[in-house]
Amino acid sequence: MADTRRFEGHGVLITGAARGIGAATARRLAEEGARVLVTDRDGPEAERTAAELRECGLAAEALGCDVADRASVEAAVAHAVAAFGSLDVLVNSAASCTPDTDLVEDGTDEAWDRDLDVTLTGTYRCCRAALPHLAATGRGAIVNVGSVNALQDFGNHAYSAAKAGLGSLTRTLAGHAAPRGVRVNLVTPGTVRTSAWEGRDADLDAVRPLYPLGRVGEPEDIAAAIAFLASRDAAWITGTTLTVDGGLTAVNTGFLAAVRHQSEA
């Protein structure tokens, strides 16, 4: 349980919140006093997550929302405002990541378009619908969820391009929204133990040594960073990217290990 109540009385909408980072963020903000709308394209799973929060005495509702559909996004924003009386925080966690083909020339327009439409344009749709309501509260905050894929090559061409686009969108929206009292920031996670890695413990064990802090991330690690950026503790922070990756992009552990091996040989 969080030690503070930074979001007492805040209305919060989180996309992609049925599981993983989105679900952990819903729990973290609700523990700090927020009333949370858990949205996801998988409506029943969103309701399961919200029900788990309610069983813990936390304030949560659920709604099916497809960020690739403008009407669905606008309905979710309207639902949050009607249910909570205000919308103070928007967390854009929904994303699509289609596995790459072996050769880029075998990729399809449909797969490329889907990843960009959900991950990048979906975030834009949510920000566009939410901004007037966030501005009305005088304390509005948007936190977008990016990826280290935007910073280095970790595969997934379309997903990586979309996540890189979120960096630019975050900065331009920050400049646009600042005069209206709304802050916009980006959190950039490294490898996080979510359902995307289910059944792939060997892969997680293989990448663990690449992380200077000695482990992959947990959804709660990212939720804590999102909570900070969304809170008044970050009142003078906007347009920034907070990288939460255990040191992965700061330290080339593979290079250092190779050099040390050679020097010891």
Side-chain angles (χ1 to χ4, degrees), residues 4 60 62-63 66 76-77 80 94 99 130 140 148 161 164-165 167 172 186 196 204 211 213 244:
T4 60
L63 187 71
D66 181 359
V77 169
V148 292
T172 57
L186 177 72
L204 291 175
Y211 283 86
L213 288 181
V244 187

Side-chain angles (χ1 to χ4, degrees), residues 14-35:
I14 306 175
T15 69
R19 55 186 69 83
I21 292 170
T25 303
R27 176 173 292 277
R28 176 62 184 256
L29 299 189
E31 286 176 344
E32 293 200 35
R35 297 163 294 175

Side-chain angles (χ1 to χ4, degrees), residues 56-228:
C56 297
L58 303 174
E61 297 190 14
L63 187 71
C65 176
D66 181 359
V67 299
D69 179 76
R70 179 172 184 171
S72 183
V73 167
E74 292 177 347
V77 169
H79 184 102
V81 173
F84 306 142
S86 67
L87 180 60
D88 303 273
V89 176
L90 168 66
V91 179
N92 289 302
S93 185
S96 172
C97 183
T98 304
D100 286 337
T101 54
D102 289 339
L103 296 174
V104 70
E105 57 264 37
D106 294 331
T108 66
D109 286 358
E110 290 76 17
W112 177 272
D113 291 344
R114 180 171 57 252
D115 282 7
L116 265 71
D117 192 33
V118 172
T119 308
L120 178 57
T121 310
T123 295
Y124 170 73
R125 290 188 187 99
C126 293
C127 293
R128 178 177 60 192
L131 259 171
H133 303 285
L134 295 168
T137 70
R139 60 186 182 188
I142 297 171
V143 183
N144 299 323
V145 180
S147 170
V148 292
N149 282 51
L151 308 176
Q152 294 182 11
D153 176 20
F154 296 102
N156 301 112
H157 307 299
Y159 172 82
S160 299
K163 290 296 190 180
L166 284 179
S168 178
L169 179 63
T170 296
R171 290 186 293 272
T172 57
L173 281 177
H176 172 79
R180 304 165 72 182
V182 179
R183 298 179 301 103
V184 187
N185 290 294
L186 177 72
V187 62
T188 299
T191 304
V192 177
R193 194 188 308 273
T194 66
S195 59
W197 293 90
E198 189 172 351
R200 299 173 60 189
D201 288 345
D203 291 335
L204 291 175
D205 288 340
V207 301
R208 180 184 56 77
L210 301 177
Y211 283 86
L213 288 181
R215 66 175 177 87
V216 299
E218 301 295 337
E220 292 75 17
D221 293 316
I222 313 306
I226 291 171
F228 164 67

